[in-house]
Amino acid sequence: MAEKFMQMIIRDLNRVAELQPSLAANAEFSSLYVQCQLLITKALKDKQWSVPTPLCPQHSVMAMAAVKQVLESTNRMEHLFLGLSGQDTAAIRQLRVRAWTVQLILELRGHTMNRNKGEHEPLHLCEKYLSRLNELQRYLSISEISPDSFSQAIFSEMHKLESSKPGIIMKFLQPLLLHHHIPALTLSNQLRRANAVVTEPAGGSDNPLKFTAGLTLGINVDCVIENVQDVQNIQLQIKLPDNQTQLIRPRMADFRKLSPLKYRLLTVIYISHGVWTEPCNIAFSVAMNYNNEPVQQSVGETVASPTSEENQGLIELSKPIKVYVQPKAAKR
């Protein structure tokens, strides 16, 4: 019943975001939060939690997929919206810790059934998890924000967890997840969402842009970016048909400030590739880097990107635009 109710809320919030532009950011944020609640609720509801992982591999795959989606959504919630209060940010980070807790338990359960992974891996996983708990505890303490019931239950036993074996930590955490529900979140501020509206490249053409393989093709970029506090974090992302992803950092001189938190980007990006047997689409999008330690990259330089958005610390601000291109062999 609770899951159906959450699904109805998500549907209604998405509808509000479509019909009421002034409420779109708050509605989208709230929808993401409820989606995370639903995903974690589903992951924990399955009775197969007590069954060894090899006997229910599908559950672990599904639960891990849910964890990944929650982590991506909480990153979007924290970095894509302006106007969050300290309480809002604390709720997001505590929700992320719940996802990490589910992830840790699944990984430890998997390891107990596969001794070939080595004895030190569970210890490393637990140390990483405890480090994240310490970071959350410091943030809440500095911000003078009270933790929710789940976080408080963990913090009260931190001294025991730090000296416990992985198996004991797993047995301690699992009932906490099941007994402490995710609290509701009430936004206190009007939010604004970072986004980019791309005019060029327009995409949709049936005629491929042809260029000589090994050389470069210039593509004009014209877009308006709003509600981004630091445009130095803007990256132009190109996804190629062979699953490679390239990131290009625009020059600051290419940004034109239209108003506070609103910029127009006019630039040219250059792509290069080997010979293709037929024309294919590349996907262009504007993205924002939210990592505290971004990839070392010079202005205008193209770098390869990790496949996981969580690892690379990127959030797309625009929908991908398909550009039809074809590198051809050089004429002799």
Side-chain angles (χ1 to χ4, degrees):
M1 188 66 181
E3 291 181 16
K4 289 184 178 179
F5 186 58
M6 283 190 277
Q7 289 171 348
M8 290 174 58
I9 292 174
I10 293 168
R11 182 196 63 196
D12 291 344
L13 287 169
N14 291 339
R15 188 65 175 157
V16 170
E18 292 176 2
L19 298 177
Q20 295 288 337
S22 61
L23 301 175
N26 285 50
E28 182 180 349
F29 180 93
S30 300
S31 176
L32 285 170
Y33 188 84
V34 179
Q35 286 177 46
C36 291
Q37 285 182 299
L38 179 60
L39 286 166
I40 291 180
T41 299
K42 285 184 175 181
L44 297 178
K45 187 178 179 180
D46 201 314
K47 296 179 181 179
Q48 292 179 332
W49 268 95
S50 58
V51 179
T53 300
L55 301 182
C56 55
Q58 189 62 32
H59 172 265
S60 295
V61 171
M62 293 174 62
M64 277 297 194
V67 167
K68 180 181 178 182
Q69 191 171 342
V70 171
L71 293 176
E72 290 177 354
S73 294
T74 52
N75 283 326
R76 290 178 64 83
M77 291 162 65
E78 183 171 358
H79 301 285
L80 196 59
F81 297 88
L82 295 182
L84 295 173
S85 67
Q87 291 284 355
D88 299 333
T89 302
I92 296 168
R93 295 187 181 186
Q94 290 179 96
L95 184 58
R96 189 180 298 135
V97 164
R98 285 186 191 245
W100 279 330
T101 305
V102 176
Q103 184 182 56
L104 176 67
I105 292 172
L106 291 171
E107 289 175 338
L108 291 179
R109 289 179 73 233
H111 185 273
T112 59
M113 300 301 163
N114 186 357
R115 299 296 183 180
N116 296 328
K117 292 184 178 180
E119 297 180 0
H120 296 292
E121 186 173 345
L123 292 174
H124 173 71
L125 294 172
C126 291
E127 288 171 358
K128 186 176 181 180
Y129 175 76
L130 291 172
S131 174
R132 287 167 167 168
L133 286 181
N134 283 318
E135 288 177 9
L136 174 63
Q137 191 173 33
R138 281 196 299 271
Y139 172 78
L140 296 176
S141 177
I142 293 172
S143 304
E144 298 182 347
I145 295 173
S146 300
D148 62 25
S149 61
F150 174 76
S151 300
Q152 183 59 51
I154 295 180
F155 294 157
S156 64
E157 300 293 335
M158 280 279 285
H159 61 288
K160 294 182 181 179
L161 293 177
E162 291 174 350
S163 58
S164 298
K165 294 182 179 180
I168 296 175
I169 292 177
M170 179 175 63
K171 291 179 181 178
F172 170 74
L173 292 175
Q174 187 164 328
L176 292 184
L177 282 169
L178 298 172
H179 295 146
H180 293 277
H181 298 293
I182 300 171
L185 176 63
T186 302
L187 293 171
S188 55
N189 300 327
Q190 181 69 34
L191 303 184
R192 290 173 293 172
R193 183 192 187 280
N195 74 297
V197 178
V198 180
T199 305
E200 287 189 77
S205 174
D206 293 330
N207 298 318
L209 300 175
K210 298 179 181 180
F211 64 102
T212 302
L215 300 182
T216 58
L217 169 68
I219 299 176
N220 292 325
V221 175
D222 184 355
C223 62
V224 174
I225 301 166
E226 290 188 273
N227 300 321
V228 173
Q229 291 180 311
D230 188 355
V231 291
Q232 292 189 75
N233 294 328
I234 294 297
Q235 305 266 6
L236 303 179
Q237 183 172 250
I238 299 289
K239 293 185 178 180
L240 301 170
D242 56 4
N243 293 324
Q244 291 185 47
T245 300
Q246 297 178 354
L247 296 175
I248 302 167
R249 180 183 169 194
R251 300 181 306 164
M252 290 301 297
D254 293 335
F255 290 95
R256 305 287 187 270
K257 190 171 184 178
L258 304 179
S259 64
L261 299 178
K262 186 174 183 179
Y263 296 82
R264 184 181 183 186
L265 173 61
L266 290 167
T267 190
V268 179
I269 59 173
Y270 296 93
I271 65 168
S272 180
H273 208 279
V275 177
W276 296 352
T277 56
E278 59 184 25
C280 290
N281 284 310
I282 61 173
F284 167 84
S285 61
V286 181
M288 179 175 65
N289 188 328
Y290 62 82
N291 259 346
N292 293 328
E293 297 180 2
V295 176
Q296 294 298 315
Q297 177 184 5
S298 301
V299 173
E301 180 187 4
T302 301
V303 297
S305 166
T307 55
S308 169
E309 286 194 6
E310 183 189 353
N311 291 335
Q312 67 192 34
L314 282 180
I315 298 177
E316 287 188 345
L317 302 185
S318 68
K319 293 182 179 179
I321 295 173
K322 292 182 179 179
V323 181
Y324 204 34
V325 302
Q326 182 180 17
K328 299 185 71 175
K331 295 181 180 179
R332 296 185 179 181

PDB file of all heavy atoms in Angstrom, residues 63-64 84 99 111 141 213 293:
ATOM      1  N   ALA A  63      18.836  -5.086  -6.080  1.00  0.00           N
ATOM      2  CA  ALA A  63      19.085  -4.176  -4.962  1.00  0.00           C
ATOM      3  C   ALA A  63      20.276  -3.271  -5.256  1.00  0.00           C
ATOM      4  O   ALA A  63      20.247  -2.076  -4.941  1.00  0.00           O
ATOM      5  CB  ALA A  63      19.332  -4.983  -3.684  1.00  0.00           C
ATOM      6  N   MET A  64      21.321  -3.823  -5.878  1.00  0.00           N
ATOM      7  CA  MET A  64      22.479  -3.006  -6.245  1.00  0.00           C
ATOM      8  C   MET A  64      22.105  -1.952  -7.268  1.00  0.00           C
ATOM      9  O   MET A  64      22.583  -0.812  -7.220  1.00  0.00           O
ATOM     10  CB  MET A  64      23.605  -3.888  -6.774  1.00  0.00           C
ATOM     11  CG  MET A  64      24.468  -4.512  -5.699  1.00  0.00           C
ATOM     12  SD  MET A  64      25.341  -3.251  -4.732  1.00  0.00           S
ATOM     13  CE  MET A  64      26.550  -4.266  -3.899  1.00  0.00           C
ATOM     14  N   LEU A  84      18.754  25.215  -1.476  1.00  0.00           N
ATOM     15  CA  LEU A  84      18.573  24.203  -0.441  1.00  0.00           C
ATOM     16  C   LEU A  84      18.980  24.749   0.924  1.00  0.00           C
ATOM     17  O   LEU A  84      19.993  25.429   1.052  1.00  0.00           O
ATOM     18  CB  LEU A  84      19.397  22.955  -0.756  1.00  0.00           C
ATOM     19  CG  LEU A  84      19.024  22.167  -2.009  1.00  0.00           C
ATOM     20  CD1 LEU A  84      20.054  21.066  -2.248  1.00  0.00           C
ATOM     21  CD2 LEU A  84      17.634  21.572  -1.883  1.00  0.00           C
ATOM     22  N   ALA A  99      21.723   4.435   1.470  1.00  0.00           N
ATOM     23  CA  ALA A  99      22.038   3.679   0.252  1.00  0.00           C
ATOM     24  C   ALA A  99      23.399   3.017   0.391  1.00  0.00           C
ATOM     25  O   ALA A  99      23.569   1.847  -0.010  1.00  0.00           O
ATOM     26  CB  ALA A  99      22.009   4.610  -0.958  1.00  0.00           C
ATOM     27  N   HIS A 111      30.510 -11.401  -0.217  1.00  0.00           N
ATOM     28  CA  HIS A 111      31.868 -11.848   0.085  1.00  0.00           C
ATOM     29  C   HIS A 111      31.864 -13.097   0.947  1.00  0.00           C
ATOM     30  O   HIS A 111      32.745 -13.963   0.806  1.00  0.00           O
ATOM     31  CB  HIS A 111      32.640 -10.746   0.813  1.00  0.00           C
ATOM     32  CG  HIS A 111      34.074 -11.097   1.053  1.00  0.00           C
ATOM     33  ND1 HIS A 111      34.495 -11.802   2.158  1.00  0.00           N
ATOM     34  CD2 HIS A 111      35.185 -10.886   0.298  1.00  0.00           C
ATOM     35  CE1 HIS A 111      35.797 -11.978   2.091  1.00  0.00           C
ATOM     36  NE2 HIS A 111      36.234 -11.448   0.982  1.00  0.00           N
ATOM     37  N   SER A 141      27.270  17.988  12.887  1.00  0.00           N
ATOM     38  CA  SER A 141      27.730  18.684  14.090  1.00  0.00           C
ATOM     39  C   SER A 141      28.062  20.140  13.792  1.00  0.00           C
ATOM     40  O   SER A 141      27.640  21.051  14.521  1.00  0.00           O
ATOM     41  CB  SER A 141      28.956  17.972  14.664  1.00  0.00           C
ATOM     42  OG  SER A 141      29.463  18.670  15.780  1.00  0.00           O
ATOM     43  N   ALA A 213      39.070  10.950 -41.435  1.00  0.00           N
ATOM     44  CA  ALA A 213      39.455  10.222 -40.226  1.00  0.00           C
ATOM     45  C   ALA A 213      40.857  10.624 -39.777  1.00  0.00           C
ATOM     46  O   ALA A 213      41.770  10.757 -40.600  1.00  0.00           O
ATOM     47  CB  ALA A 213      39.394   8.719 -40.490  1.00  0.00           C
ATOM     48  N   GLU A 293      37.451  17.418  -6.513  1.00  0.00           N
ATOM     49  CA  GLU A 293      38.760  17.249  -7.150  1.00  0.00           C
ATOM     50  C   GLU A 293      38.538  16.857  -8.602  1.00  0.00           C
ATOM     51  O   GLU A 293      38.621  15.682  -8.972  1.00  0.00           O
ATOM     52  CB  GLU A 293      39.581  16.183  -6.424  1.00  0.00           C
ATOM     53  CG  GLU A 293      39.894  16.560  -4.976  1.00  0.00           C
ATOM     54  CD  GLU A 293      40.697  15.487  -4.283  1.00  0.00           C
ATOM     55  OE1 GLU A 293      41.030  14.488  -4.935  1.00  0.00           O
ATOM     56  OE2 GLU A 293      41.005  15.660  -3.107  1.00  0.00           O
TER      57      GLU A 293
END
